[in-house]
Amino acid sequence: MTTHHIGLAFALIGDLFPDGTSKEVASYLNRKGPLPFGAIVREVNLSAVNIARSIATLAMHDLIECSSDNRSDSKRVLYAFSLQRALYILHYAKCIHCARQLYGFDGELIIEELLLNGKQRMSTLLIKVYERLIKAGKDPTVHSLQSIKETFKSLVSAHFLQRILIDETKPHIPITIEETSTNLVQIPELTPEGWKYLISNQQEESSEPAAKKIKVPTPTFGDEKIFWKVNFQRFFAHLRDQELIHAFTSRIDSNAGEIVRTMLRLAEIKPNPERTISISFIEIAKTISAAGLQLTDETLQKYMNVITSDVNNCIIKIGDQGRGTYEVDFQKALSGLTKAHIQSFLRERYGSNALRIYNMLEERGCLSQKQIEDMAMINAKEAQQYVYSMFIDGMLSLEELSKANDFNPTRTFYFFRVNLYNGVLSLLDHSYKTMSNLMQRHQFEKERHRKLIDKRDKVEAIIHSLREQNADDEQIKEVEDILSPIEKEQIQKLDAAFRKIELAQLQLTETILLLEMFLSISKSVAPAQKKTGGRAVAAKLLETRS
């Protein structure tokens, strides 16, 4: 974990929990490790009540992990901060947008409620989502409790929501356990009294104001011990599939993108994170024809040949059964997408000559400084500057081949090669730093123009209330004239700057997600920077040349 990684994580926690207490508690746990509640109260200069509330809130969002203390017989609970889970806050907007595209407004609100409030029961979630729909002015006949429940079932069946239970074996530990695979998609049946209570509240919500409601005691719903949370890995897999579809669409055409989409849809719930299940040509042809894409078998076979001969080789033909059986290798797919980001980074940072050296090393494997100068046709000074700059940034790795065991520099040959794993780590660190800078810049501009933003918000609130009261255009015009032309121009410039920052954050979030997924799925290990023996390097050089 780098300083940029840690700084971004706590900046995201500060934005999600603006009280400040949660950020301070999380920062202390990150420095000191798993601690009991008493130790946190003694060390952190806050009241015990505020610390307990912060720990409960962070635990509801899976930012704090609870475990029992195995070193003593006492029933102490240890709290540890999850730094990697804190970075998931970056992808909240993407998950909400994905739910909106797949399941409409109901699905968007369900995911948004779970992300804002953490783990929740289905009955509580149905009530909150329905109340928000009514406040948003939606038609209660279209967005009813039954429709929200059906959307909830669709999210669960597609594994976008994850079912968890309270751990009854350890009642002194406030943690939940994930369900087994057989119970993941089981929706709890609400009791008749609970469902009747929800329906009655639905009718009262759409007809009577809240002040005139008769308070009825809340019954038991039957799902008091069953909670639900967002399954981020399923959302990340869907976003990865979308990136893969977009890559084939831009590289070949839209038909190729639809074929890849069909293959991924046939194996949507994947038992293997690295590859899909085997998909036959006949299944692909049937699904494409059912979807309305007019492609003959001969045309589809030509597309499959082009797709399987792609430079990244991420779609593999593994057999001839059923006119061909195919798999999608996600590791190779993510490697190809990641290389494209690294190449773009090198082009922008060092120029086209550095990118040419990088591509040449990736193709050739292992070259010395003199070989790089001769083959890249760049003068020695520039080639040395490019190579050493990329080596310092972690894009290249250095291997040593010595004539003797002392590794004397005068009797040692130095070879450079591309190291994709270290390059991804370096680019990810740059991305974390850039994201932190963008967040700080956004906050700085917001504080700098605080008075102007508050004035604009007040004017917009007054105009909104006047329009609800069916006021005349002259009255609205008078309120709009409160802002001078210079202030309106400043607001337009400020909004344009905010849009640029938000667009940059959105694009950077996609890059960070792609790089993190590559690191999680990659089988390679970050190599240790150590001196290499002569036989090992010689064998690699012979293998590369052959």
Side-chain angles (χ1 to χ4, degrees), residues 84-361:
Q84 187 62 35
R85 175 60 182 79
L87 290 179
Y88 286 179
I89 303 174
L90 271 177
H91 312 296
Y92 278 10
K94 269 289 188 182
C95 294
I96 294 172
H97 179 67
C98 178
R100 176 65 179 269
Q101 286 184 325
L102 296 175
Y103 299 100
F105 197 61
D106 295 352
E108 176 188 0
L109 289 184
I110 290 173
I111 299 298
E112 186 175 348
E113 280 292 329
L114 285 174
L115 291 177
L116 292 178
N117 300 301
K119 308 180 188 73
Q120 287 192 6
R121 292 186 293 266
M122 186 184 72
S123 56
T124 306
L125 199 60
L126 293 178
I127 295 172
K128 289 187 176 181
V129 171
Y130 182 76
E131 289 177 353
R132 289 189 59 180
L133 287 169
I134 296 301
K135 289 180 181 178
K138 299 295 181 179
D139 188 1
T141 59
V142 177
H143 301 276
S144 61
L145 282 173
Q146 186 62 36
S147 66
I148 299 172
K149 187 178 179 181
E150 293 299 325
T151 305
F152 183 87
K153 287 183 178 180
S154 301
L155 286 167
V156 172
S157 62
H159 290 210
F160 285 108
L161 297 182
Q162 194 170 1
R163 172 172 166 158
I164 50 181
L165 284 173
I166 298 176
D167 191 357
E168 296 181 352
T169 61
K170 300 178 180 179
H172 63 285
I173 303 179
I175 63 174
T176 54
I177 55 176
E178 297 180 3
E179 278 276 30
T180 59
S181 58
T182 56
N183 297 330
L184 283 177
V185 296
Q186 289 186 1
I187 304 296
E189 291 295 334
L190 299 181
T191 60
E193 296 81 9
W195 185 251
K196 186 177 180 181
Y197 174 82
L198 293 179
I199 294 297
S200 62
N201 277 1
Q202 171 186 350
Q203 296 173 354
E204 293 176 0
E205 189 75 31
S206 57
S207 60
E208 298 181 3
K212 295 183 179 180
K213 288 182 181 179
I214 300 175
K215 294 185 178 180
V216 180
T218 305
T220 57
F221 293 98
D223 63 342
E224 280 73 20
K225 295 182 180 181
I226 301 174
F227 290 81
W228 300 87
K229 68 176 183 179
V230 175
N231 187 2
F232 287 98
Q233 300 305 321
R234 180 67 183 88
F235 274 104
F236 295 164
H238 178 78
L239 295 174
R240 175 202 61 199
D241 295 348
Q242 295 300 116
E243 288 288 333
L244 190 58
I245 294 167
H246 177 71
F248 275 96
T249 301
S250 59
R251 186 171 298 175
I252 304 175
D253 59 8
S254 59
N255 289 336
E258 288 299 324
I259 293 170
V260 175
R261 187 194 304 273
T262 302
M263 295 179 65
L264 295 172
R265 190 180 302 164
L266 287 171
E268 193 170 10
I269 308 302
K270 308 173 184 65
N272 190 342
E274 298 177 3
R275 291 188 178 185
T276 63
I277 59 175
S278 301
I279 306 168
S280 66
F281 179 88
I282 298 175
E283 292 176 335
I284 298 172
K286 287 182 179 179
T287 309
I288 285 178
S289 61
L293 189 63
Q294 301 298 327
L295 289 177
T296 61
D297 290 348
E298 295 179 358
T299 306
L300 181 59
Q301 188 65 58
K302 291 179 181 179
Y303 269 108
M304 294 304 300
N305 294 335
V306 173
I307 291 173
T308 52
S309 62
D310 184 72
V311 64
N312 292 324
N313 196 24
C314 59
I315 295 181
I316 308 166
K317 186 176 181 180
I318 60 172
D320 296 326
Q321 298 87 358
R323 301 186 62 182
T325 308
Y326 302 89
E327 282 186 354
V328 181
D329 192 328
F330 292 113
Q331 185 176 4
K332 291 183 178 180
L334 290 173
S335 298
L337 296 173
T338 303
K339 288 177 185 177
H341 283 282
I342 291 179
Q343 290 172 355
S344 176
F345 170 76
L346 292 176
R347 185 187 297 109
E348 294 295 329
R349 189 175 180 85
Y350 301 113
S352 58
N353 289 337
L355 180 59
R356 189 199 315 170
I357 293 175
Y358 183 87
N359 292 334
M360 184 183 63
L361 283 172

Side-chain angles (χ1 to χ4, degrees), residues 405-451:
N405 294 330
D406 56 354
F407 283 90
N408 192 314
T410 59
R411 297 190 298 271
T412 303
F413 298 100
Y414 297 94
F415 298 93
F416 295 91
R417 68 164 60 244
V418 170
N419 191 323
L420 185 60
Y421 191 91
N422 283 351
V424 171
L425 288 176
S426 176
L427 184 57
L428 191 59
D429 190 47
H430 281 292
S431 301
Y432 290 150
K433 182 180 179 181
T434 306
M435 181 64 74
S436 299
N437 292 339
L438 287 172
M439 294 175 65
Q440 292 176 9
R441 182 66 182 182
H442 189 278
Q443 187 65 26
F444 172 76
E445 293 293 340
K446 198 173 180 180
E447 294 296 332
R448 183 183 176 186
H449 301 88
R450 173 63 63 185
K451 293 182 180 180

Side-chain angles (χ1 to χ4, degrees), residues 396-408:
L396 302 179
S397 61
L398 181 65
E399 294 184 359
E400 304 174 8
L401 177 62
S402 179
K403 295 180 180 179
N405 294 330
D406 56 354
F407 283 90
N408 192 314

Side-chain angles (χ1 to χ4, degrees), residues 40-106:
I40 301 173
V41 173
R42 286 193 300 269
E43 297 294 334
V44 180
N45 190 19
L46 295 170
S47 65
V49 176
N50 291 336
I51 293 175
R53 289 175 180 173
S54 299
I55 290 177
T57 303
L58 293 172
M60 287 291 291
H61 288 80
D62 284 338
L63 297 175
I64 282 183
E65 299 175 354
C66 307
S67 61
S68 58
D69 190 359
N70 297 326
R71 296 175 297 178
S72 62
D73 296 333
S74 62
K75 296 182 179 181
R76 292 200 311 172
V77 180
L78 299 181
Y79 301 96
F81 176 68
S82 177
L83 189 63
Q84 187 62 35
R85 175 60 182 79
L87 290 179
Y88 286 179
I89 303 174
L90 271 177
H91 312 296
Y92 278 10
K94 269 289 188 182
C95 294
I96 294 172
H97 179 67
C98 178
R100 176 65 179 269
Q101 286 184 325
L102 296 175
Y103 299 100
F105 197 61
D106 295 352

